[in-house]
Amino acid sequence: MVAWTDAERNAITSVFAKLNPDVVGPNALARCLIVYPWTQRYFSKFGNLYSAETILGNPMVAAHGKVVFGGLEMAVKNLDDIKKTFAPLSELHSEKLHVDPDNFRLLADCITIVVASQLGSAFTAEVQAAWQKFMAVVVSGLCRQYH
Ligand code: HEM
């Protein structure tokens, strides 16, 4: 089990409370698809992903970004048991979707960049440290069912 200090718990939950799900999830997923174009292969049913403009304007990308954000919310609400909470999600990404687990960290980094841009000066180094620890636990939870 991951040990969190009170300061880390406070930082993670207060960052999360400041985020707009309609902005962070969609922008982070779009950013991942633009910066790491090989991740597009898992989203062929989303249609036109040919340029940054079409990715950013694609309603299916935006909708799925909100779904990803919902996954993060589950993790924030279950900080003491992210691994167990994410076991079904990990199994889905591994067994059914066959997502290369290296990609989890890439999306996690895009999420962090978008979070930083939303928070501005409130995203201090200490807050970033807690947030990155949280994202590392999320990534490790998603990787758990890979064999
Ligand atoms: C589906 C979360 C990373 C590809 C999902 C779902 C959630 C989720 C909550 C919906 C599961 C369901 O329907 O029961 C996350 C989180 C991630 C992450 C929290 C990392 C922070 C990735 C990455 C990729 C990916 C990096 C590929 C590059 C997919 C695909 C689906 C999916 C293809 C199914 C989409 C659909 O059929 O509508 N993810 N995911 N995920 N995820 Fe992820």
Side-chain angles (χ1 to χ4, degrees):
M1 201 173 95
V2 183
W4 302 102
T5 66
D6 287 346
E8 285 170 339
R9 278 178 202 280
N10 288 340
I12 295 161
T13 48
S14 68
V15 164
F16 205 77
K18 288 184 188 127
L19 301 176
N20 180 347
D22 296 342
V23 174
V24 176
N27 281 354
L29 181 59
R31 195 174 268 263
C32 182
L33 294 167
I34 294 163
V35 179
Y36 310 110
W38 58 89
T39 58
Q40 293 172 17
R41 69 186 288 261
Y42 303 102
F43 300 102
S44 50
K45 71 172 189 189
F46 286 3
N48 189 341
L49 300 175
Y50 300 128
S51 68
E53 217 176 11
T54 57
I55 291 171
L56 285 161
N58 185 313
M60 282 183 276
V61 171
H64 190 64
K66 285 186 215 171
V67 171
V68 170
F69 191 86
L72 285 188
E73 189 173 19
M74 260 168 37
V76 171
K77 287 186 173 150
N78 294 279
L79 277 182
D80 290 317
D81 213 350
I82 291 179
K83 282 195 166 33
K84 198 168 143 217
T85 307
F86 269 16
L89 210 48
S90 176
E91 197 174 328
L92 177 82
H93 284 82
S94 162
E95 309 284 325
K96 195 163 164 239
L97 301 169
H98 308 292
V99 171
D100 181 334
D102 287 350
N103 293 317
F104 296 140
R105 203 174 63 78
L106 303 180
L107 179 56
D109 286 348
C110 289
I111 292 169
T112 299
I113 288 164
V114 174
V115 166
S117 72
Q118 286 261 294
L119 264 73
S121 59
F123 200 63
T124 61
E126 269 179 315
V127 170
Q128 181 183 351
W131 182 260
Q132 302 233 135
K133 180 172 165 183
F134 168 67
M135 289 309 303
V137 177
V138 163
V139 168
S140 126
L142 284 169
C143 288
R144 202 160 180 232
Q145 302 299 319
Y146 281 75
H147 305 291

